[in-house]
């Protein structure tokens, strides 16, 4: 019983949650230069599994922004095999995201930039998956008022995704 009470206290501590978020953001932003490929693949797979099970706030505020950051940073990986591994896992993650409730803000600032980066990666390292990602991007764009029939956003890499890359 004492273990459970301590666990509940830790989980409710906003300082702990903030610390975990900061550590995860640091890990993701530094993963391009460090050799943490296996851990990054496991992280993406874990996010993919928990995404449909989490409440929308955790999806919107925590998981989806980090997947977008990983997607945008994936193009900086020079090893084609590692880049392909992450690209394939991100495709599965974005399929899971499309089954979740999404606000237009989440779509505009995280999902569209992540899918566009993923589309670029599929063109370069997994061309047979390009049509799948293109269809996912079209589906997301059709779900929001952000995109009219002939118009795409001019600055899809908005400050929210690129903000994860700023050094503290």
């Amino acid at each position: 019983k004492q273990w459970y009470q301590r666990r509940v206290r830790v989980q409710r501590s906003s300082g702990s949650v903030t610390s975990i978020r900061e550590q995860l953001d640091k890990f993701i932003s530094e993963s391009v230069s460090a050799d943490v490929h296996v851990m990054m693949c496991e992280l993406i797979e874990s996010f993919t599994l928990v995404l449909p099970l989490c409440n929308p706030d955790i999806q919107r505020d925590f998981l989806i922004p980090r997947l977008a950051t990983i997607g945008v940073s994936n193009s900086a990986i020079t090893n084609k095999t590692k880049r392909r591994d992450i690209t394939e896992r991100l495709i599965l993650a974005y399929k899971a995201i499309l089954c979740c409730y999404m606000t237009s803000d989440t779509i505009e600032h995280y999902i569209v930039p992540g899918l566009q980066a993923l589309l670029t990666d599929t063109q370069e390292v997994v061309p047979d998956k390009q049509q799948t990602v293109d269809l996912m991007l079209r589906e997301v764009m059709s779900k929001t008022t952000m995109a009219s029939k002939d118009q795409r956003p001019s600055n899809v890499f908005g400050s929210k995704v690129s903000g994860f890359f700023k050094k503290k």
Side-chain angles (χ1 to χ4, degrees), residues 109-122:
H109 293 290
Y110 301 113
I111 297 174
V112 170
L115 279 172
Q116 288 180 328
L118 190 56
L119 182 60
T120 301
D121 287 339
T122 56

Side-chain angles (χ1 to χ4, degrees), residues 60-142:
R60 180 190 66 237
D61 298 336
F62 189 76
L63 298 173
I64 293 173
R66 272 108 191 135
L67 284 169
T69 301
I70 294 168
V72 171
S73 66
N74 191 42
S75 62
I77 297 173
T78 56
N79 182 312
K80 295 270 187 195
T81 303
K82 290 180 179 181
R83 189 173 171 200
R84 183 178 51 247
D85 288 346
I86 290 177
T87 299
E88 290 173 343
R89 284 168 175 80
L90 285 170
I91 291 170
L92 295 175
Y94 275 93
K95 285 181 179 181
I97 289 172
L98 295 181
C99 296
C100 300
Y101 172 77
M102 299 172 279
T103 65
S104 60
D105 187 55
T106 302
I107 292 170
E108 179 182 351
H109 293 290
Y110 301 113
I111 297 174
V112 170
L115 279 172
Q116 288 180 328
L118 190 56
L119 182 60
T120 301
D121 287 339
T122 56
Q123 292 167 344
E124 295 178 18
V125 294
V126 195
D128 58 314
K129 304 282 186 183
Q130 179 181 348
Q131 184 177 9
T132 301
V133 177
D134 188 48
L135 288 172
M136 288 191 293
L137 182 59
R138 288 182 194 195
E139 180 182 340
V140 166
M141 296 291 282
S142 71

Side-chain angles (χ1 to χ4, degrees), residues 11 21 57-59 69 73 78 89 121 145 152 160 163:
Q11 287 179 342
R21 285 183 179 179
D57 292 339
I58 293 172
Q59 293 169 352
T69 301
S73 66
T78 56
R89 284 168 175 80
D121 287 339
T145 58
R152 289 190 180 212
K160 292 190 178 189

Side-chain angles (χ1 to χ4, degrees), residues 20-39:
I20 291 168
R21 285 183 179 179
E22 289 172 357
Q23 290 174 4
L24 185 59
D25 289 341
K26 184 177 180 181
F27 170 75
I28 291 170
S29 67
E30 293 177 355
S31 66
V32 173
S33 60
D35 190 17
V36 293
H37 176 70
V38 174
M39 288 176 51

Side-chain angles (χ1 to χ4, degrees), residues 137-155:
L137 182 59
R138 288 182 194 195
E139 180 182 340
V140 166
M141 296 291 282
S142 71
K143 287 183 179 182
T144 179
T145 58
M146 172 187 75
S148 66
K149 290 185 179 184
D150 299 322
Q151 184 179 3
R152 289 190 180 212
S154 59
N155 182 14

